[in-house]
Amino acid sequence: NKPKDSPTYEINKEQLKKILYRVASAGAVDLSGDYPKGRLDKVLDLLLESVRTRVPSDCPFCYDNVELTTPQSKICHAGLYTGFGEEIVSFPNTSPYMVDHHLTIFADHVTDLGELNGNDLVNYIASGHQLASNFDSQGAAGILDFLNWGYEAGGSKRHPHAHRGKFVDMNHFYLQSKRARNIQRLNGDGGAMMKELMESIREKDIFAFENEHIFVYAVWAPRYPNHVEVFFKNVGNVLDYWRPDAKEVPKDLRTAAESMLGIFHVLRSLGATDINMALHQSSFSGEPQDFMMQAEIFQRNDHMYGALEAAMLGYVIPTIPEKTAKAIRDHYARPYTKANSLNHHP
């Protein structure tokens, strides 16, 4: 009997069954066997209780509340769904500070980094590339893309959401070359291009993880605790992953996004609660042989900063990058089993 302006999230068992079978069709859950009488109902009861306790009625980013908090038109990202079956949406920010500033709700209501899953990261990356395609068709030069998780990282709510806006005028060659020079300076590899840079990092203790899609390392001269950089090996252009005629999430995008999940769980285990993540190289031009799109992930817990930093107005970071890299290496080196699959790379 809540008033109309204070809705609650309601879902019934039939809706939840559809969600479960959608997840099963993706290979995440095996529902093919015969369940003992009452077992599936018990599972559904537990999930329903989880939904009701995880989705507060006063969160503006929960799906039933989006209609009330965002009267403007929304962009629905077809083919992208949260764990509870909600379609991923983007909508104009009511307090914009970028051109065409949009918010994207890419996950269900979770309040802890350890609750993120691989599908959430796929939704984040894929919806960003869909929105980039929209911006590109409207004449923008690029997209600014970042998320802020938690109050100390600038987020008003812990419900995962991303900020996206247009770059309307950008000298991408200057921005990309400046970015590459900064990375080379931080790692003492002046003049090295991306592939050479990765080769040199592999020999250092700041190297963390790589597969055929991503390359991960801890920034050698970090500005923030547990500062991690991710190179997307096959992407030099933010539009490479997604074109307007795409019918489903490309396999390379899905694997790259899911491969990043372990980083978030490691940072959580190291004490991170509030983080920022920014995507760079996000102009609508660029060549993968010269530049790679990068994700920058860093901890923003204010209590992690020391008094010396405040006094000097500088960056005196109480974490060692080699230790951050080792924690990530150890995590990804663990044997994959079903028991740890929710907290492990694919």
Side-chain angles (χ1 to χ4, degrees), residues 90-107:
S90 295
F91 50 84
N93 192 353
T94 55
S95 301
Y97 50 85
M98 296 182 282
V99 176
D100 240 355
H101 187 171
H102 279 66
L103 294 177
T104 302
I105 311 302
F106 62 88

Side-chain angles (χ1 to χ4, degrees), residues 54-56 59-63 66 82-83 87-91 103-117 119-121 123-124 127 146-150 155-164 264 273 275 277:
R54 290 159 62 98
V55 184
C59 175
F61 299 147
C62 285
Y63 290 89
V66 167
T82 72
E87 191 169 45
I88 306 305
V89 295
S90 295
F91 50 84
L103 294 177
T104 302
I105 311 302
F106 62 88
D108 292 305
H109 189 98
V110 295
T111 59
D112 191 286
L113 283 176
E115 295 181 289
L116 275 183
N117 59 58
N119 186 64
D120 295 334
L121 294 180
N123 288 338
Y124 168 63
S127 62
F146 69 93
L147 66 87
N148 49 350
W149 181 299
S156 59
K157 297 290 182 181
R158 284 196 175 275
H159 191 139
H161 61 283
H163 295 258
R164 276 83 184 246
F264 291 86
T273 59
I275 65 162
M277 175 176 171

Side-chain angles (χ1 to χ4, degrees), residues 97 106 110-117 120-121 124-125 145-163 224-230 260-279 295-305 319 324 328:
Y97 50 85
F106 62 88
V110 295
T111 59
D112 191 286
L113 283 176
E115 295 181 289
L116 275 183
N117 59 58
D120 295 334
L121 294 180
Y124 168 63
I125 300 292
D145 192 334
F146 69 93
L147 66 87
N148 49 350
W149 181 299
Y151 308 114
E152 296 178 31
S156 59
K157 297 290 182 181
R158 284 196 175 275
H159 191 139
H161 61 283
H163 295 258
Y224 303 99
N226 298 314
H227 194 162
V228 176
E229 190 99 25
V230 182
M260 296 171 59
L261 179 61
I263 300 170
F264 291 86
H265 290 157
V266 169
L267 294 187
R268 181 67 186 89
S269 70
L270 295 176
T273 59
D274 295 13
I275 65 162
N276 283 141
M277 175 176 171
L279 291 178
E296 195 172 3
I297 308 169
F298 42 90
Q299 180 176 339
R300 290 297 296 273
N301 302 35
D302 286 346
H303 66 271
M304 289 293 294
Y305 299 126
T319 61
T324 303
I328 296 174

Side-chain angles (χ1 to χ4, degrees), residues 198-307:
M198 288 192 297
E199 187 62 35
S200 67
I201 290 176
R202 287 188 187 100
E203 306 301 319
K204 300 177 180 178
D205 289 339
I206 59 173
F207 169 74
F209 170 75
E210 73 173 312
N211 61 15
E212 62 181 311
H213 299 283
I214 65 171
F215 181 94
V216 185
Y217 72 101
V219 175
W220 180 73
R223 296 178 61 189
Y224 303 99
N226 298 314
H227 194 162
V228 176
E229 190 99 25
V230 182
F231 291 165
F232 292 79
K233 290 184 175 182
N234 305 315
V235 185
N237 184 315
V238 71
L239 299 175
D240 284 350
Y241 267 149
W242 197 281
R243 298 305 306 180
D245 58 353
K247 302 300 182 183
E248 60 183 14
V249 177
K251 183 179 179 180
D252 286 352
L253 185 156
R254 179 172 292 279
T255 305
E258 290 176 339
S259 297
M260 296 171 59
L261 179 61
I263 300 170
F264 291 86
H265 290 157
V266 169
L267 294 187
R268 181 67 186 89
S269 70
L270 295 176
T273 59
D274 295 13
I275 65 162
N276 283 141
M277 175 176 171
L279 291 178
H280 300 288
Q281 310 301 106
S282 51
S283 63
F284 296 154
S285 54
E287 297 297 331
Q289 65 266 26
D290 295 326
F291 302 102
M292 296 178 184
M293 192 178 79
Q294 300 131 40
E296 195 172 3
I297 308 169
F298 42 90
Q299 180 176 339
R300 290 297 296 273
N301 302 35
D302 286 346
H303 66 271
M304 289 293 294
Y305 299 126

